Amino acid sequence: MELQRFIAAVGLAVISAPAWFGQTTAHPKAFAVASVKLNTSVHGAINNKFGPDSMRWTNISLKSLIETAYGLTDYQVAGAAGWTDSERWDVDAKCDGPASFAEKLEMLRSLLEERFHLQFRRETRQLPSLRLEIAKNGPKLATARPEDADHKWGTRVDRGLLEMSGATMPMLVFWLSSQLNLPVVDNTGLTGTYDLRLEWAQDVKLADAGGDPSSTDGEQSIFAAVEAQLGLKLVAVKSPVEVLAIEHAERASGN
């Protein structure tokens, strides 16, 4: 159920206006205490640990913190300097009591403005996108089995494999957008709940969404797999996307 919980938390930013769009940048909530330090290790993995009254990140870039704080994906953050993506930080923050995940994100936004002097503007830009449509021969989607003691809804992802139980089209669109790092717009009109399985060859290279969908040995790209296995189709288009354009950011200098 992790994908469902995450989608609910971030408000499906990739297919609708993010919660922050059109709001002021005032954040009345702030962490009671927070440490922000440059990470100089060679460790490549990002780690996080959330407690009822804490939020801890290890080896995370400022750009990733911005994406997390505002519920955005990579293509929705524009104008960021190179160091915001290459330099890594350790953030250890405590609240003055138990706080919800949404409240912690609000505190994180406040921290970014205070420690990194983050300033930005909000824009809507026409960006390369994908539109999810029903393919020529119709959808190939099984209605979801009801949840019971032997069957729980959720998502399993592995290399070249996606299994979703109890999935809606917004959930599938969110996952496809994250996988392809492009905005994906749902144009299927499907409102049901489905169990689905998608397998593709992750190493198949595509020039673009309209390119040859299969490799020479017949392995399917994710575009071909969506059409062949789900009866849906990804079409290359341009669409309006809300972006956060960075105007100013500084390296955090102290705690």
Side-chain angles (χ1 to χ4, degrees), residues 22-112:
Q23 296 180 356
T24 66
T25 57
H27 304 298
K29 292 184 179 294
F31 291 114
V33 61
S35 169
V36 180
K37 297 180 180 178
L38 185 66
N39 184 308
T40 58
S41 71
V42 296
H43 180 56
I46 297 173
N47 294 306
N48 62 61
K49 184 177 182 180
F50 301 152
D53 63 349
S54 63
M55 174 178 278
R56 179 181 299 168
W57 294 93
T58 303
N59 203 44
I60 189 170
S61 69
L62 174 58
K63 190 166 183 285
S64 293
L65 283 171
I66 293 170
E67 292 168 10
T68 299
Y70 289 94
L72 305 176
T73 52
D74 181 71
Y75 57 79
Q76 288 180 288
V77 179
W83 67 267
T84 66
D85 199 22
S86 61
E87 296 183 6
R88 304 294 167 143
W89 301 86
D90 295 340
V91 178
D92 193 354
K94 294 276 290 184
C95 312
D96 57 8
S100 67
F101 185 68
E103 288 173 327
K104 292 190 185 81
L105 291 183
E106 185 177 355
M107 296 177 196
L108 179 58
R109 294 193 285 270
S110 180
L111 182 142
L112 295 178

Side-chain angles (χ1 to χ4, degrees), residues 5-251:
R5 294 193 186 102
F6 184 72
I7 288 174
V10 302
L12 283 172
V14 296
I15 60 171
S16 61
W20 52 263
F21 207 74
Q23 296 180 356
T24 66
T25 57
H27 304 298
K29 292 184 179 294
F31 291 114
V33 61
S35 169
V36 180
K37 297 180 180 178
L38 185 66
N39 184 308
T40 58
S41 71
V42 296
H43 180 56
I46 297 173
N47 294 306
N48 62 61
K49 184 177 182 180
F50 301 152
D53 63 349
S54 63
M55 174 178 278
R56 179 181 299 168
W57 294 93
T58 303
N59 203 44
I60 189 170
S61 69
L62 174 58
K63 190 166 183 285
S64 293
L65 283 171
I66 293 170
E67 292 168 10
T68 299
Y70 289 94
L72 305 176
T73 52
D74 181 71
Y75 57 79
Q76 288 180 288
V77 179
W83 67 267
T84 66
D85 199 22
S86 61
E87 296 183 6
R88 304 294 167 143
W89 301 86
D90 295 340
V91 178
D92 193 354
K94 294 276 290 184
C95 312
D96 57 8
S100 67
F101 185 68
E103 288 173 327
K104 292 190 185 81
L105 291 183
E106 185 177 355
M107 296 177 196
L108 179 58
R109 294 193 285 270
S110 180
L111 182 142
L112 295 178
E113 293 176 11
E114 177 186 350
R115 301 295 178 87
F116 292 94
H117 301 284
L118 178 66
Q119 298 176 23
F120 57 85
R121 66 183 183 277
R122 296 148 177 149
E123 298 179 352
T124 300
R125 299 182 180 183
Q126 291 286 332
L127 297 181
S129 309
L130 295 168
R131 186 172 62 229
L132 185 66
E133 302 178 346
I134 295 177
K136 181 178 179 180
N137 294 324
K140 303 175 182 178
L141 298 168
T143 300
R145 288 172 51 198
E147 283 192 291
D148 55 35
D150 300 318
H151 179 70
K152 298 297 182 183
W153 288 358
T155 300
R156 184 170 78 90
V157 180
D158 205 341
R159 182 175 176 82
L161 173 67
L162 169 69
E163 290 183 332
M164 303 181 80
S165 299
T168 62
M169 285 301 102
M171 291 176 186
L172 177 61
V173 160
F174 181 87
W175 183 88
L176 288 169
S177 179
S178 300
Q179 176 72 21
L180 298 168
N181 196 31
L182 283 170
V184 179
V185 180
D186 178 20
N187 197 44
T188 64
L190 298 173
T191 58
T193 306
Y194 307 97
D195 291 341
L196 61 88
R197 178 184 175 92
L198 183 68
E199 293 184 88
W200 70 98
Q202 207 158 23
D203 294 330
V204 174
K205 293 181 172 56
L206 290 171
D208 53 53
D212 183 357
S214 300
S215 64
T216 54
D217 61 4
E219 291 187 301
Q220 291 181 320
S221 72
I222 192 168
F223 294 93
V226 166
E227 184 165 359
Q229 299 169 33
L230 303 183
L232 306 176
K233 187 175 182 179
L234 288 163
V235 180
V237 294
K238 283 195 173 183
S239 62
V241 178
E242 291 84 5
V243 301
L244 187 151
I246 305 298
E247 295 183 323
H248 181 80
E250 300 176 12
R251 294 173 174 88

